[in-house]
Amino acid sequence: MTQHEWALDLVEDFEVPGWLFIPGGLGPGQSDEWVLAATEEVAGKEGWDGSPISRAEADELLRSALSDRDNTSSIATFQVWPPIGRVTAMCHIGVYPSLDMPKWEEPDAIVHRFEAPHIGPGLQCTTQRVISNAAGADIDLAGIHFVFDDGEATLIVSLAEVFEPLTVYALRGVLPLLRNLRLVRPGNGQTFQSVMVEGVLEESPWQFEESV
């Protein structure tokens, strides 16, 4: 499988407040130990509405993140705190065969060119939709996917669709991640180098400032 042929590497260590790495493949006892330790880290901190995050809320969201991680083929998964209600932003990083990928200019998304210094040229694909809410105002959802293709493998750094304010907030962590991220083959040290995707209508690079 393509995702096992590459390892993530950071050119420089960095920390982004609120970004929590979610491990995969833990057994029941290991999961409980990890949740307990992570709860100590996030419980009591200020939530989106300014009130402290309860231990029960933290426990529920952390266990949900572990389940989400184990149900994906991602190389790495991050959960972004704080939540809105019982929802957090999630960032997945995965590598997949290029032949399995869609034509990114065709889906119903806003597509711009994007370049990561240690990966190469790629695309930033933003999806947005509105869902009805019988209890109040309609809800705006957004997802953002950074896509890099070397002709054989495709690296995707993805913010899963969630409440738009959470997506915009999580972007503040994705951008420094992309500035430092690279893919390396563990066996020979070869680095992943993407090529330009053809057929994109938006030629200008996407600017983060336009979304905040």
Side-chain angles (χ1 to χ4, degrees):
M1 297 295 289
T2 299
Q3 59 264 36
H4 299 310
E5 298 175 359
W6 296 97
L8 297 177
D9 183 40
L10 293 176
V11 176
E12 295 182 6
D13 291 335
F14 72 100
E15 291 186 9
V16 180
W19 275 59
L20 183 65
F21 177 77
I22 307 300
L26 300 181
Q30 293 172 315
S31 295
D32 290 340
E33 290 178 5
W34 180 83
V35 169
L36 180 60
T39 297
E40 294 296 330
E41 181 178 343
V42 299
K45 292 189 175 181
E46 187 175 287
W48 195 270
D49 62 359
S51 59
I53 299 168
S54 70
R55 295 186 65 87
E57 179 182 11
D59 183 276
E60 177 186 340
L61 288 170
L62 291 166
R63 293 185 186 279
S64 176
L66 283 178
S67 177
D68 188 13
R69 170 69 178 91
D70 286 340
N71 287 324
T72 70
S73 56
S74 303
I75 293 178
T77 298
F78 296 88
Q79 186 178 42
V80 185
W81 292 74
I84 293 180
R86 292 293 191 267
V87 178
T88 59
M90 300 292 294
C91 178
H92 294 277
I93 304 175
V95 183
Y96 310 97
S98 297
L99 290 175
D100 294 345
M101 296 293 100
K103 292 186 179 298
W104 298 102
E105 66 273 19
E106 292 182 359
D108 186 16
I110 303 169
V111 181
H112 291 269
R113 295 194 185 278
F114 185 91
E115 186 154 352
H118 305 288
I119 299 171
L123 303 176
Q124 182 260 340
C125 306
T126 302
T127 59
Q128 295 175 300
R129 64 189 179 100
V130 179
I131 60 174
S132 299
N133 178 17
D138 290 346
I139 299 173
D140 294 321
L141 301 178
I144 299 182
H145 315 283
F146 296 88
V147 182
F148 307 90
D149 189 339
D150 73 352
E152 296 183 357
T154 299
L155 165 66
I156 302 179
V157 179
S158 180
L159 289 175
E161 186 180 71
V162 73
F163 302 145
E164 192 170 60
L166 287 176
T167 302
V168 173
Y169 177 78
L171 274 172
R172 301 177 188 275
V174 171
L175 293 180
L177 174 65
L178 287 169
R179 284 195 292 268
N180 285 278
L181 185 67
R182 63 181 175 182
L183 282 182
V184 179
R185 288 192 186 276
N188 57 17
Q190 174 191 351
T191 57
F192 179 95
Q193 179 61 50
S194 61
V195 296
M196 184 69 69
V197 178
E198 301 297 332
V200 179
L201 298 179
E202 294 286 351
E203 294 292 338
S204 60
W206 173 73
Q207 298 295 324
F208 170 60
E209 291 77 9
E210 296 175 2
S211 297
V212 296

Short mmCIF file of all heavy atoms in Angstrom, two decimals, residues 19-24 26-42 58-67 69 77-79 81 90:
data_model
loop_
_atom_site.label_atom_id
_atom_site.label_comp_id
_atom_site.label_asym_id
_atom_site.label_seq_id
_atom_site.Cartn_x
_atom_site.Cartn_y
_atom_site.Cartn_z
N TRP A 19 -3.34 21.69 19.01
CA TRP A 19 -3.22 20.55 18.10
C TRP A 19 -2.75 19.33 18.89
O TRP A 19 -1.68 19.34 19.49
CB TRP A 19 -2.25 20.86 16.96
CG TRP A 19 -2.92 21.59 15.84
CD1 TRP A 19 -3.55 22.79 15.92
CD2 TRP A 19 -3.04 21.15 14.49
NE1 TRP A 19 -4.06 23.13 14.70
CE2 TRP A 19 -3.76 22.16 13.80
CE3 TRP A 19 -2.61 20.03 13.80
CZ2 TRP A 19 -4.07 22.05 12.45
CZ3 TRP A 19 -2.90 19.93 12.46
CH2 TRP A 19 -3.62 20.93 11.79
N LEU A 20 -3.57 18.28 18.87
CA LEU A 20 -3.28 17.07 19.63
C LEU A 20 -3.13 15.90 18.67
O LEU A 20 -4.03 15.59 17.89
CB LEU A 20 -4.43 16.80 20.61
CG LEU A 20 -4.27 15.59 21.54
CD1 LEU A 20 -3.10 15.80 22.50
CD2 LEU A 20 -5.56 15.37 22.33
N PHE A 21 -1.97 15.24 18.71
CA PHE A 21 -1.72 14.08 17.86
C PHE A 21 -2.53 12.90 18.38
O PHE A 21 -2.53 12.59 19.57
CB PHE A 21 -0.23 13.73 17.86
CG PHE A 21 0.10 12.50 17.07
CD1 PHE A 21 0.15 12.55 15.68
CD2 PHE A 21 0.36 11.29 17.70
CE1 PHE A 21 0.45 11.41 14.93
CE2 PHE A 21 0.66 10.15 16.97
CZ PHE A 21 0.71 10.22 15.59
N ILE A 22 -3.24 12.22 17.46
CA ILE A 22 -4.09 11.09 17.82
C ILE A 22 -3.40 9.80 17.38
O ILE A 22 -3.24 9.57 16.18
CB ILE A 22 -5.48 11.20 17.16
CG1 ILE A 22 -6.13 12.56 17.47
CG2 ILE A 22 -6.37 10.05 17.64
CD1 ILE A 22 -6.34 12.85 18.93
N PRO A 23 -3.00 8.95 18.31
CA PRO A 23 -2.33 7.70 17.92
C PRO A 23 -3.32 6.70 17.35
O PRO A 23 -4.53 6.79 17.60
CB PRO A 23 -1.74 7.20 19.25
CG PRO A 23 -2.67 7.74 20.30
CD PRO A 23 -3.13 9.08 19.78
N GLY A 24 -2.82 5.77 16.59
CA GLY A 24 -3.67 4.75 16.00
C GLY A 24 -3.30 3.36 16.47
O GLY A 24 -2.18 3.12 16.94
N LEU A 26 -4.31 1.47 19.02
CA LEU A 26 -4.17 1.18 20.44
C LEU A 26 -5.15 0.09 20.87
O LEU A 26 -6.28 0.04 20.41
CB LEU A 26 -4.42 2.43 21.28
CG LEU A 26 -3.52 3.65 21.03
CD1 LEU A 26 -3.91 4.78 21.97
CD2 LEU A 26 -2.06 3.28 21.19
N GLY A 27 -4.71 -0.76 21.78
CA GLY A 27 -5.61 -1.73 22.38
C GLY A 27 -6.48 -1.06 23.42
O GLY A 27 -6.27 0.10 23.78
N PRO A 28 -7.51 -1.79 23.95
CA PRO A 28 -8.43 -1.18 24.92
C PRO A 28 -7.73 -0.55 26.12
O PRO A 28 -8.04 0.57 26.52
CB PRO A 28 -9.32 -2.36 25.33
CG PRO A 28 -9.28 -3.29 24.16
CD PRO A 28 -7.89 -3.17 23.61
N GLY A 29 -6.78 -1.28 26.72
CA GLY A 29 -6.07 -0.72 27.87
C GLY A 29 -5.23 0.48 27.50
O GLY A 29 -5.18 1.48 28.23
N GLN A 30 -4.55 0.41 26.36
CA GLN A 30 -3.74 1.52 25.90
C GLN A 30 -4.60 2.74 25.60
O GLN A 30 -4.21 3.88 25.89
CB GLN A 30 -2.95 1.12 24.65
CG GLN A 30 -1.90 0.06 24.88
CD GLN A 30 -1.30 -0.42 23.57
OE1 GLN A 30 -2.01 -0.69 22.59
NE2 GLN A 30 0.02 -0.53 23.54
N SER A 31 -5.77 2.50 25.01
CA SER A 31 -6.68 3.61 24.72
C SER A 31 -7.10 4.33 25.99
O SER A 31 -7.11 5.57 26.05
CB SER A 31 -7.93 3.10 23.98
OG SER A 31 -7.59 2.58 22.71
N ASP A 32 -7.45 3.56 27.02
CA ASP A 32 -7.86 4.17 28.29
C ASP A 32 -6.72 4.99 28.89
O ASP A 32 -6.95 6.09 29.41
CB ASP A 32 -8.29 3.08 29.28
CG ASP A 32 -9.61 2.41 28.89
OD1 ASP A 32 -10.36 3.02 28.10
OD2 ASP A 32 -9.87 1.30 29.35
N GLU A 33 -5.51 4.47 28.84
CA GLU A 33 -4.36 5.19 29.38
C GLU A 33 -4.12 6.49 28.61
O GLU A 33 -3.86 7.53 29.20
CB GLU A 33 -3.10 4.32 29.32
CG GLU A 33 -3.12 3.15 30.29
CD GLU A 33 -1.88 2.30 30.17
OE1 GLU A 33 -0.97 2.68 29.39
OE2 GLU A 33 -1.80 1.25 30.85
N TRP A 34 -4.21 6.40 27.28
CA TRP A 34 -3.98 7.60 26.47
C TRP A 34 -5.07 8.64 26.73
O TRP A 34 -4.76 9.83 26.88
CB TRP A 34 -3.94 7.25 24.99
CG TRP A 34 -3.70 8.46 24.15
CD1 TRP A 34 -2.50 9.04 23.85
CD2 TRP A 34 -4.71 9.29 23.55
NE1 TRP A 34 -2.69 10.17 23.08
CE2 TRP A 34 -4.02 10.35 22.88
CE3 TRP A 34 -6.09 9.23 23.49
CZ2 TRP A 34 -4.70 11.34 22.17
CZ3 TRP A 34 -6.77 10.22 22.78
CH2 TRP A 34 -6.08 11.25 22.14
N VAL A 35 -6.33 8.22 26.78
CA VAL A 35 -7.43 9.15 27.03
C VAL A 35 -7.25 9.83 28.38
O VAL A 35 -7.46 11.05 28.52
CB VAL A 35 -8.79 8.44 26.95
CG1 VAL A 35 -9.91 9.34 27.48
CG2 VAL A 35 -9.09 8.03 25.51
N LEU A 36 -6.86 9.07 29.40
CA LEU A 36 -6.65 9.65 30.73
C LEU A 36 -5.57 10.73 30.69
O LEU A 36 -5.75 11.82 31.24
CB LEU A 36 -6.28 8.56 31.73
CG LEU A 36 -6.04 9.01 33.17
CD1 LEU A 36 -7.29 9.66 33.75
CD2 LEU A 36 -5.59 7.83 34.03
N ALA A 37 -4.44 10.42 30.03
CA ALA A 37 -3.35 11.38 29.95
C ALA A 37 -3.75 12.61 29.13
O ALA A 37 -3.45 13.75 29.50
CB ALA A 37 -2.11 10.72 29.34
N ALA A 38 -4.44 12.39 28.01
CA ALA A 38 -4.85 13.52 27.16
C ALA A 38 -5.91 14.36 27.85
O ALA A 38 -5.94 15.59 27.67
CB ALA A 38 -5.35 13.00 25.82
N THR A 39 -6.79 13.73 28.63
CA THR A 39 -7.80 14.49 29.36
C THR A 39 -7.15 15.46 30.33
O THR A 39 -7.61 16.61 30.49
CB THR A 39 -8.75 13.53 30.12
OG1 THR A 39 -9.44 12.72 29.18
CG2 THR A 39 -9.77 14.30 30.94
N GLU A 40 -6.08 15.03 30.98
CA GLU A 40 -5.36 15.92 31.90
C GLU A 40 -4.82 17.14 31.15
O GLU A 40 -4.71 18.23 31.73
CB GLU A 40 -4.19 15.16 32.56
CG GLU A 40 -4.61 14.04 33.49
CD GLU A 40 -5.39 14.55 34.69
OE1 GLU A 40 -5.15 15.69 35.12
OE2 GLU A 40 -6.26 13.81 35.18
N GLU A 41 -4.51 16.95 29.87
CA GLU A 41 -3.94 18.05 29.08
C GLU A 41 -4.99 19.07 28.64
O GLU A 41 -4.72 20.28 28.63
CB GLU A 41 -3.24 17.47 27.84
CG GLU A 41 -2.59 18.51 26.95
CD GLU A 41 -1.86 17.89 25.78
OE1 GLU A 41 -1.58 16.67 25.81
OE2 GLU A 41 -1.59 18.63 24.80
N VAL A 42 -6.20 18.61 28.30
CA VAL A 42 -7.18 19.52 27.69
C VAL A 42 -8.31 19.93 28.64
O VAL A 42 -8.90 21.00 28.47
CB VAL A 42 -7.78 18.92 26.40
CG1 VAL A 42 -6.70 18.69 25.37
CG2 VAL A 42 -8.53 17.63 26.69
N ALA A 58 -14.18 16.22 27.48
CA ALA A 58 -12.88 15.86 26.94
C ALA A 58 -12.80 14.36 26.67
O ALA A 58 -12.33 13.93 25.61
CB ALA A 58 -11.78 16.29 27.91
N ASP A 59 -13.26 13.54 27.62
CA ASP A 59 -13.22 12.09 27.48
C ASP A 59 -14.01 11.65 26.24
O ASP A 59 -13.54 10.83 25.44
CB ASP A 59 -13.79 11.43 28.74
CG ASP A 59 -13.73 9.91 28.69
OD1 ASP A 59 -14.64 9.29 28.10
OD2 ASP A 59 -12.76 9.35 29.23
N GLU A 60 -15.21 12.21 26.07
CA GLU A 60 -16.05 11.85 24.92
C GLU A 60 -15.38 12.21 23.60
O GLU A 60 -15.37 11.40 22.65
CB GLU A 60 -17.39 12.57 25.04
CG GLU A 60 -18.33 12.33 23.88
CD GLU A 60 -19.60 13.17 23.96
OE1 GLU A 60 -19.94 13.63 25.07
OE2 GLU A 60 -20.24 13.37 22.91
N LEU A 61 -14.83 13.41 23.51
CA LEU A 61 -14.23 13.85 22.25
C LEU A 61 -12.94 13.10 21.95
O LEU A 61 -12.64 12.81 20.78
CB LEU A 61 -13.97 15.35 22.32
CG LEU A 61 -15.22 16.23 22.24
CD1 LEU A 61 -14.88 17.68 22.56
CD2 LEU A 61 -15.85 16.13 20.86
N LEU A 62 -12.17 12.78 22.96
CA LEU A 62 -10.92 12.05 22.74
C LEU A 62 -11.20 10.62 22.27
O LEU A 62 -10.52 10.12 21.37
CB LEU A 62 -10.10 12.04 24.03
CG LEU A 62 -9.52 13.40 24.43
CD1 LEU A 62 -9.02 13.36 25.87
CD2 LEU A 62 -8.40 13.81 23.48
N ARG A 63 -12.19 9.97 22.85
CA ARG A 63 -12.53 8.62 22.41
C ARG A 63 -13.10 8.63 20.99
O ARG A 63 -12.84 7.72 20.20
CB ARG A 63 -13.51 7.97 23.40
CG ARG A 63 -12.89 7.70 24.76
CD ARG A 63 -13.80 6.95 25.70
NE ARG A 63 -13.20 6.84 27.01
CZ ARG A 63 -12.28 5.94 27.34
NH1 ARG A 63 -11.89 5.03 26.44
NH2 ARG A 63 -11.77 5.90 28.56
N SER A 64 -13.85 9.67 20.66
CA SER A 64 -14.35 9.81 19.31
C SER A 64 -13.20 9.99 18.32
O SER A 64 -13.23 9.43 17.22
CB SER A 64 -15.31 11.00 19.23
OG SER A 64 -15.75 11.22 17.90
N ALA A 65 -12.18 10.76 18.72
CA ALA A 65 -11.03 10.97 17.84
C ALA A 65 -10.26 9.67 17.61
O ALA A 65 -9.80 9.40 16.49
CB ALA A 65 -10.11 12.03 18.43
N LEU A 66 -10.10 8.85 18.65
CA LEU A 66 -9.44 7.56 18.48
C LEU A 66 -10.19 6.67 17.51
O LEU A 66 -9.60 6.00 16.66
CB LEU A 66 -9.32 6.86 19.84
CG LEU A 66 -8.25 7.35 20.80
CD1 LEU A 66 -8.32 6.56 22.10
CD2 LEU A 66 -6.85 7.22 20.20
N SER A 67 -11.52 6.67 17.62
CA SER A 67 -12.34 5.88 16.71
C SER A 67 -12.20 6.38 15.28
O SER A 67 -12.07 5.59 14.33
CB SER A 67 -13.80 5.92 17.15
OG SER A 67 -14.63 5.23 16.25
N ARG A 69 -9.66 7.98 14.02
CA ARG A 69 -8.32 7.64 13.55
C ARG A 69 -8.26 6.19 13.06
O ARG A 69 -7.69 5.89 12.01
CB ARG A 69 -7.32 7.85 14.70
CG ARG A 69 -5.91 7.32 14.43
CD ARG A 69 -5.23 8.15 13.36
NE ARG A 69 -3.88 7.70 13.11
CZ ARG A 69 -3.53 6.78 12.20
NH1 ARG A 69 -4.47 6.21 11.46
NH2 ARG A 69 -2.28 6.44 12.02
N THR A 77 -3.10 11.69 12.27
CA THR A 77 -4.34 12.41 12.54
C THR A 77 -4.13 13.35 13.72
O THR A 77 -3.48 12.98 14.71
CB THR A 77 -5.49 11.43 12.86
OG1 THR A 77 -5.72 10.59 11.74
CG2 THR A 77 -6.77 12.18 13.20
N PHE A 78 -4.68 14.55 13.60
CA PHE A 78 -4.65 15.53 14.68
C PHE A 78 -6.07 15.97 15.00
O PHE A 78 -6.91 16.12 14.11
CB PHE A 78 -3.83 16.76 14.29
CG PHE A 78 -2.38 16.48 14.04
CD1 PHE A 78 -1.93 16.10 12.78
CD2 PHE A 78 -1.44 16.60 15.07
CE1 PHE A 78 -0.60 15.84 12.54
CE2 PHE A 78 -0.09 16.34 14.83
CZ PHE A 78 0.33 15.96 13.57
N GLN A 79 -6.33 16.19 16.28
CA GLN A 79 -7.58 16.80 16.72
C GLN A 79 -7.26 18.21 17.19
O GLN A 79 -6.29 18.42 17.93
CB GLN A 79 -8.18 15.98 17.87
CG GLN A 79 -9.56 16.45 18.31
CD GLN A 79 -10.12 15.55 19.42
OE1 GLN A 79 -9.40 15.16 20.33
NE2 GLN A 79 -11.40 15.23 19.34
N TRP A 81 -8.23 21.53 19.21
CA TRP A 81 -9.03 22.08 20.31
C TRP A 81 -8.97 23.60 20.28
O TRP A 81 -7.97 24.16 19.84
CB TRP A 81 -8.49 21.54 21.64
CG TRP A 81 -8.71 20.07 21.80
CD1 TRP A 81 -8.03 19.07 21.14
CD2 TRP A 81 -9.68 19.43 22.61
NE1 TRP A 81 -8.53 17.85 21.51
CE2 TRP A 81 -9.53 18.04 22.42
CE3 TRP A 81 -10.66 19.91 23.49
CZ2 TRP A 81 -10.33 17.11 23.08
CZ3 TRP A 81 -11.45 18.97 24.15
CH2 TRP A 81 -11.27 17.58 23.94
N MET A 90 -10.73 18.15 12.72
CA MET A 90 -9.82 17.01 12.59
C MET A 90 -8.98 17.18 11.33
O MET A 90 -9.49 17.52 10.27
CB MET A 90 -10.61 15.70 12.50
CG MET A 90 -11.49 15.39 13.70
SD MET A 90 -10.57 15.01 15.21
CE MET A 90 -9.76 13.48 14.74
#
